[in-house]
Amino acid sequence: MNTHYLTTSRTNPQFYIFSQLFGDDTTWSSCDWESIQNASWQEFWQREGHELLEQKWHKRFPEYKDLIEKVTSEEQALWQELWEKHANDSSCKFWYIFSCAFENYQNELVKSFGVNFNGTLDVIEQDLQNLSVTSTTKKSKQRKPSASEEHESYLTANDDPEELDELQQLLLLGLPTSFASKTHKNHKQRRQITESSGSESEDSEDLLTMENDENRALHRVQSGFIQRNKRKQRQVDKLRARMPEFMLEENGQMVKYWFKRFSLFSRFDRGIRLDRESWFSVTPEKIAKQTSRRLACDLIVDGFCGCGGNAIQFANTCGRVIAVDIDAEKLAMAKHNASIYGVAHKIEFIHADFLQFAASTRIRPDVVFLSPPWGGPDYQKQANFDIEKSLLPVGASKLMQLSRRLASDVSFFLPRNANMSQVIALSGPGQQCEVEHNYLDTRMVALTAYYGSGIIKRS
C-alpha cells in the first residue's frame, strides 16, 4: 500500500508499536496477525489515544475551557454531542493510519526474513481483507514515491514551530524540494504566468511613460519587489545561521535531518548539542521513551550512548544509568544534553570502549542496552541488513556474548531492515526473543529486540 501521502500533512506523528515473540520455529507465516493487530491498537490507545483526542479538541475549540463552566444545560448537551462526534471522527482517522502502518509492518516483516517479497503479497493482502483493514476504506490512486521520497525523513517541518514550513525553507535555501514532505505547486504554470506578465510589461512600457499615475504605480510595484527580496534574503540568512554548516554542504543532502530535530529531542531549542553523526543515529525521543518504559530497573548500562538520546530517558525510569561511549566529544554532548532534561545527576558517564569495558568491569547491571553504530545512512541501501557483518565495531553475536557476561537481560536497537533470522538467532537455541517494530505514522523507523526472561512480555 502506498501511504506516503499520510505522512506529509501530520504535525505530530503517531507512534505505533507492533510486537511479538520469536523463537527457533517462528516464521512470518506463523504470525497471529489478528492478535498482534488488536494488542497493538489497544496499547496505542491506552498509551496516548485519549491525550491525542484532547489535544485536537482544544486546538479546534480553544474557547471551550472558558465557556464550558458558563453554558446552560442545553448548550452543554450540544458540546457533549460535538465531543462525541469529534472523538468518533478522530478515532476513525487514527485507526485508518494505524491499519496502513500495520499493513506496512506485515510487508516489512516478510522482507526481513529474506522471503521473495513479490510472491507473498497476495497472501498478505488476503490476511488484511480478513482483518477488515483494507476493506473498510476506499483506496485512492496514489503516485509511486520517488527513491528520494522513499528514504525521506518520517517527519515534516510542522514539527518545528517556525513561521516557515519545510517547503518554504527549502525554496529559500535554493535546495531541491524533493526533500520536502509537502507537494509543491506547478512550476510550469507559475513560470508561464511570470513570462506572460514580463512580456506584457515590455509591450506596455511606452504607455506607462505617458501617464504619471501609471508611472507611480510601476514605482510602487518595483519598490515592493525590492522589499520582498530583502525580506526573503533576511529569512534565508536567519535560517542558514541556525543550521549546522555541514548541512548546507554536500548538495544539501543533510538538510532533511534538520526538519526532524524536535522529534529527536523535544527540548532541542534549549541548547541540545549534536555532532554530524548523531543527527542520523540518535534514537527519536518517542521510541527512546518506550524503550525506557520497557527496561525500567535499578541499574542499566547503555553501551553506546552517543549524544544521550536513550540514556536521558533511562534516567527517568531507572534508578541509575551507566552511559558508555568511546567518543569523548559525544560523551560531553550527552552530559550537556542530560543537564537540559535535568537528569545528568542520575547518569554516570564513562569514556571507554564498550568491548573492553564489558570484558573487564565488575559492574553487574540488571539490563544492558545496545544501540551500536549502523554504518551511517548507507544502511538503508541493503535489502536485508546483516547484523553480523555490518554493525560496528563488531557483529551482534560478539556484542551479545559480552553483554551476557554482565546481565542476562539484553536489548538491541537495530535498523528497520535488520535480518530477522539473525535477530532471532541471538536469543540462543530453544530460547525466545521479543521484537518491537517502531512506526511513526505509517513509516517504520527501527526495531527494538529484547532478550532475557526479565524483560520479555510473555503474553
Side-chain angles (χ1 to χ4, degrees), residues 29-94:
S29 58
S30 62
C31 297
D32 185 350
W33 297 120
E34 186 172 5
S35 296
I36 296 169
Q37 184 193 32
N38 290 338
S40 299
W41 173 254
Q42 291 175 10
E43 183 178 351
F44 161 74
W45 199 252
Q46 292 172 2
R47 186 178 65 248
E48 54 184 308
H50 188 74
E51 182 181 353
L52 288 169
L53 287 181
E54 291 273 356
Q55 290 174 357
K56 291 182 178 294
W57 172 261
H58 291 298
K59 185 176 182 179
R60 184 180 176 188
F61 302 107
E63 72 277 14
Y64 175 78
K65 287 183 178 179
D66 295 329
L67 290 178
I68 195 60
E69 300 296 334
K70 306 173 184 177
V71 297
T72 64
S73 57
E74 291 80 5
E75 291 172 329
Q76 196 168 30
L78 290 175
W79 275 112
Q80 179 64 26
E81 183 179 344
L82 195 59
W83 163 260
E84 291 173 359
K85 184 178 186 304
H86 162 78
N88 182 68
D89 292 346
S90 298
S91 299
C92 289
K93 291 178 182 178
F94 293 150

Side-chain angles (χ1 to χ4, degrees), residues 205-220:
E205 184 175 356
D206 293 336
L207 294 175
L208 288 171
T209 58
M210 295 173 61
E211 298 291 339
N212 290 333
D213 290 342
E214 293 183 2
N215 278 326
R216 286 193 293 269
L218 177 62
H219 176 71
R220 286 195 296 269

Side-chain angles (χ1 to χ4, degrees), residues 197-436:
S197 62
S199 61
E200 289 173 1
S201 63
E202 290 175 3
D203 294 339
S204 60
E205 184 175 356
D206 293 336
L207 294 175
L208 288 171
T209 58
M210 295 173 61
E211 298 291 339
N212 290 333
D213 290 342
E214 293 183 2
N215 278 326
R216 286 193 293 269
L218 177 62
H219 176 71
R220 286 195 296 269
V221 170
Q222 291 174 335
S223 298
F225 180 75
I226 293 172
Q227 290 175 358
R228 285 196 299 272
N229 275 347
K230 288 181 177 180
R231 286 198 299 270
K232 178 180 177 181
Q233 187 58 48
R234 285 196 297 269
Q235 290 173 335
V236 171
D237 294 340
K238 182 179 178 180
L239 184 58
R240 286 179 178 273
R242 297 182 65 229
M243 295 175 63
E245 289 186 10
F246 71 83
M247 286 190 174
L248 298 174
E249 301 169 355
E250 306 174 26
N251 296 322
Q253 293 291 327
M254 294 291 294
V255 170
K256 60 184 178 181
Y257 293 102
W258 174 256
F259 297 116
K260 62 179 180 179
R261 60 195 182 279
F262 286 101
S263 73
L264 302 180
F265 291 93
S266 61
R267 301 184 184 183
F268 182 89
D269 57 353
R270 301 189 190 181
I272 292 294
R273 296 175 186 171
L274 299 173
D275 61 4
R276 184 184 185 281
E277 181 184 354
S278 297
W279 277 95
F280 49 78
S281 62
V282 69
T283 305
E285 189 168 288
K286 282 192 174 184
I287 300 177
K289 285 183 176 180
Q290 164 65 10
T291 307
S292 70
R293 288 190 290 264
R294 289 295 309 273
L295 301 181
C297 61
D298 291 331
L299 175 60
I300 188 170
V301 167
D302 183 349
F304 300 87
C305 81
C307 287
N310 288 105
I312 289 170
Q313 299 305 323
F314 288 142
N316 291 319
T317 61
C318 301
R320 182 182 167 210
V321 181
I322 296 178
V324 181
D325 204 278
I326 196 172
D327 190 326
E329 292 185 5
K330 280 187 173 61
L331 211 62
M333 292 178 186
K335 188 172 184 178
H336 167 81
N337 295 340
S339 67
I340 291 176
Y341 281 81
V343 295
H345 64 286
K346 295 187 65 177
I347 306 174
E348 181 181 350
F349 297 93
I350 298 179
H351 179 212
D353 180 344
F354 175 74
L355 304 184
Q356 297 178 2
F357 171 84
S360 60
T361 185
R362 295 183 178 180
I363 297 173
R364 293 296 178 265
D366 300 295
V367 179
V368 174
F369 173 78
L370 302 173
S371 180
W374 302 346
D378 286 347
Y379 79 89
Q380 300 173 85
K381 297 178 181 179
Q382 299 185 37
N384 266 275
F385 184 88
D386 191 320
I387 63 174
E388 298 299 343
K389 296 180 180 179
S390 300
L391 286 182
L392 300 174
V394 296
S397 294
K398 180 62 176 178
L399 291 174
M400 176 63 84
Q401 179 184 354
L402 290 168
S403 300
R404 280 277 166 85
R405 180 182 178 274
L406 307 182
S408 58
D409 293 335
V410 179
S411 177
F412 275 82
F413 186 67
L414 297 168
R416 62 176 179 264
N417 56 340
N419 186 299
M420 276 301 297
S421 297
Q422 294 178 330
V423 173
I424 296 170
L426 287 177
S427 58
Q431 301 298 313
Q432 288 184 317
C433 67
E434 181 188 355
V435 181
E436 288 181 340

Side-chain angles (χ1 to χ4, degrees), residues 112-132:
S112 69
F113 276 100
V115 179
N116 182 358
F117 183 57
N118 292 331
T120 64
L121 285 178
D122 293 339
V123 177
I124 293 174
E125 184 67 19
Q126 185 59 47
D127 286 340
L128 289 168
Q129 296 279 352
N130 294 338
L131 290 172
S132 301

